[in-house]
Amino acid sequence: MIFTPFDRPVRAAFVGLGRIYDLNMRAYVDNPDVEVVALVDPSEERRAQRQADWPEARTFATAAELAASDLSVDAVEALLPAPLHTDGVVELLGYGWHVNLQKPMCNDLADAQRMLDAAAANDRLLRVMENYLFYEPLRKLKATVESGEIGDVSGYHLKMVASGRGGWDVPMSSYEWQFQQMQRGRGILVFDDGWHKLATAIWLFGPIKEVRGWVGETEVVPGVQIDAPTTISWEHDSGIRGVWDITLAPDLYLRSDYYTNDERWEVTGRKGYARVNRCTGRGIQQPSLEVYVDGEMRAYHALDDDWASSFRDSGRHWLRWLHTGNGPMLWSGEEAVDVLRFALATYASSEAGGVGVDPSQVT
Ligand SMILES: NC(=O)c1ccc[n+]([C@@H]2O[C@H](COP(=O)([O-])OP(=O)(O)OC[C@H]3O[C@@H](n4cnc5c(N)ncnc54)[C@H](O)[C@@H]3O)[C@@H](O)[C@H]2O)c1
């Protein structure tokens, strides 16, 4: 498509005003690149609650009502339940709006293609936002690795422990659509939260040529299976290998302002290593990034390691991008399909007993 950058504030709408709106909206506050003109959610309670943030914005129960109104909109922040992503995005693009979508993009390649086709047919942009790529400790990790400080990369390790105690309240309605996703084989740890971890792997070290997965499950309440313990390993085109272990610790208390994940990224080079010690949660009082080289440990204590800031910066990146059209979108719809393929290759491998699967070959 030929995109003409905006030379005035973008007129934006939020579609979906649930839990994650609290973080996404931070990009829009005091941002001269944007004017929030509409809020859309079928819940009257949510509309009334969010109206307080944007007293000038008009509220609508559906996107169709907004589209039929006299309000003009350029771009939407799509914060819909994941099972609604495909139909929702096709509808939003069809109204002629650029779309910034939450992860996971969708559940399978056919749905992804429908979204990409809708973007092309309507000559509109589809971005699948990836806030982890804007988390300052991870950005500093990437810069450290690329500086050569720890030597050539030998390999790396991601770790996630999902804990059941601490953090903010998540409404039961959010769990309901998560349960639907689980029943479709798209679990909350590997696919939903995992989307971010897979995205960081591609962002750090590029395309992936082979994935080996072992996806487990644990029943937490009767009828609800969480997709852990799980181990995934992979090799990039460059030959660098990564491994990610996912563990469930339902009784572990973790201090967090948001979700209660204990997360790590550790890149080992030929002469040192660099490790991000946390992201979403704040459980362990370590510096968010540590770099070890030649017997010395450097600890970063002043990075912006509030996970919410990654939403703010990802959203600002999008709103600025709409004024320039320059540089990576992080991610475009097409790039997000690579993350989807990584997840699908994990499932295909696990189902086949852990054999190596090339993500470009999954159907
Ligand atoms: N980036 C991250 O780290 C992160 C974290 C949490 C959630 N998410 C993603 O954000 C999205 C929303 O998650 P959430 O936790 O806010 O869910 P939620 O259930 O709290 O909120 C969803 C909201 O959408 C509204 N809604 C339902 N149907 C709608 C429709 N047709 N039109 C407009 N609004 C509609 C609901 O009433 C609800 O208010 C999901 O895709 C989820 O995966 C991303």
Side-chain angles (χ1 to χ4, degrees), residues 14-24 40-44 46-47 50 60-63 78-85 88 91-92 101-105 129-132 168 170-178 192-193 196 259 280 307 310-311:
F14 284 96
V15 179
L17 305 173
R19 181 70 277 188
I20 212 60
Y21 161 92
D22 286 290
L23 302 187
N24 273 73
V40 180
D41 198 298
S43 159
E44 197 178 341
R46 283 296 194 199
R47 293 198 302 273
R50 306 317 192 176
F60 299 86
T62 66
L79 308 178
L80 294 164
L84 303 185
H85 279 188
E91 180 188 354
L92 299 171
L101 176 68
Q102 268 291 342
K103 51 45 62 178
M105 181 184 191
M129 69 85 88
E130 181 46 73
N131 55 291
Y132 277 56
W168 64 3
V170 176
M172 201 51 214
S173 52
S174 307
Y175 283 118
E176 280 161 13
W177 61 257
Q178 286 288 1
D192 184 84
D193 193 291
H196 297 298
Y259 305 95
T280 316
W307 186 58
S310 67
F311 286 81

Side-chain angles (χ1 to χ4, degrees), residues 110-133:
D111 278 356
Q113 196 56 52
R114 275 187 64 207
M115 290 176 167
L116 297 180
D117 290 347
N122 294 290
D123 208 19
R124 286 295 172 266
L125 300 166
L126 171 62
R127 177 185 190 235
V128 182
M129 69 85 88
E130 181 46 73
N131 55 291
Y132 277 56
L133 312 189

Side-chain angles (χ1 to χ4, degrees), residues 144-297:
T144 300
V145 169
E146 288 172 359
S147 75
E149 196 178 333
I150 61 171
D152 289 343
V153 174
S154 302
Y156 68 112
H157 170 227
L158 316 184
K159 171 187 170 81
M160 176 165 80
V161 178
S163 89
R165 295 176 51 224
W168 64 3
D169 291 332
V170 176
M172 201 51 214
S173 52
S174 307
Y175 283 118
E176 280 161 13
W177 61 257
Q178 286 288 1
F179 294 152
Q180 281 178 37
Q181 285 288 92
M182 290 175 202
Q183 279 157 4
R184 292 175 189 163
R186 300 291 181 262
I188 194 165
L189 302 183
V190 174
F191 194 75
D192 184 84
D193 193 291
W195 185 278
H196 297 298
K197 314 302 171 343
L198 304 177
T200 59
I202 294 174
W203 172 68
L204 284 166
F205 297 115
I208 288 166
K209 64 181 176 201
E210 185 174 329
V211 182
R212 291 168 189 258
W214 189 10
V215 181
E217 57 178 26
T218 304
E219 190 171 63
V220 284
V221 291
V224 176
Q225 311 279 351
I226 298 289
D227 46 347
T230 287
T231 311
I232 308 169
S233 53
W234 57 88
E235 188 167 293
H236 292 265
D237 285 357
S238 63
I240 292 173
R241 287 192 184 180
V243 59
W244 177 29
D245 66 89
I246 306 174
T247 310
L248 183 65
D251 302 326
L252 183 141
Y253 172 77
L254 197 69
R255 182 181 150 224
S256 177
D257 296 328
Y258 317 108
Y259 305 95
T260 50
N261 289 334
D262 193 19
E263 296 155 294
R264 312 258 192 293
W265 287 253
E266 180 169 317
V267 181
T268 303
R270 285 179 62 108
K271 60 178 197 171
Y273 69 82
R275 183 175 64 221
V276 168
N277 285 316
R278 64 167 178 274
C279 184
T280 316
R282 292 177 176 276
I284 316 298
Q285 298 304 300
Q286 288 169 302
S288 52
L289 174 66
E290 291 174 301
V291 180
Y292 173 86
V293 181
D294 287 341
E296 291 181 4
M297 185 75 97

Side-chain angles (χ1 to χ4, degrees), residues 36-104:
V36 176
V37 296
L39 305 171
V40 180
D41 198 298
S43 159
E44 197 178 341
E45 195 185 338
R46 283 296 194 199
R47 293 198 302 273
Q49 179 191 17
R50 306 317 192 176
Q51 178 88 77
D53 297 330
W54 314 102
E56 309 293 319
R58 281 165 60 188
T59 63
F60 299 86
T62 66
E65 284 175 28
L66 166 57
S69 76
D70 57 352
L71 208 55
S72 100
V73 168
D74 304 311
V76 296
E77 190 74 25
L79 308 178
L80 294 164
L84 303 185
H85 279 188
T86 306
D87 289 345
V89 164
V90 169
E91 180 188 354
L92 299 171
L93 290 165
Y95 295 137
W97 303 331
H98 300 296
V99 175
N100 189 32
L101 176 68
Q102 268 291 342
K103 51 45 62 178

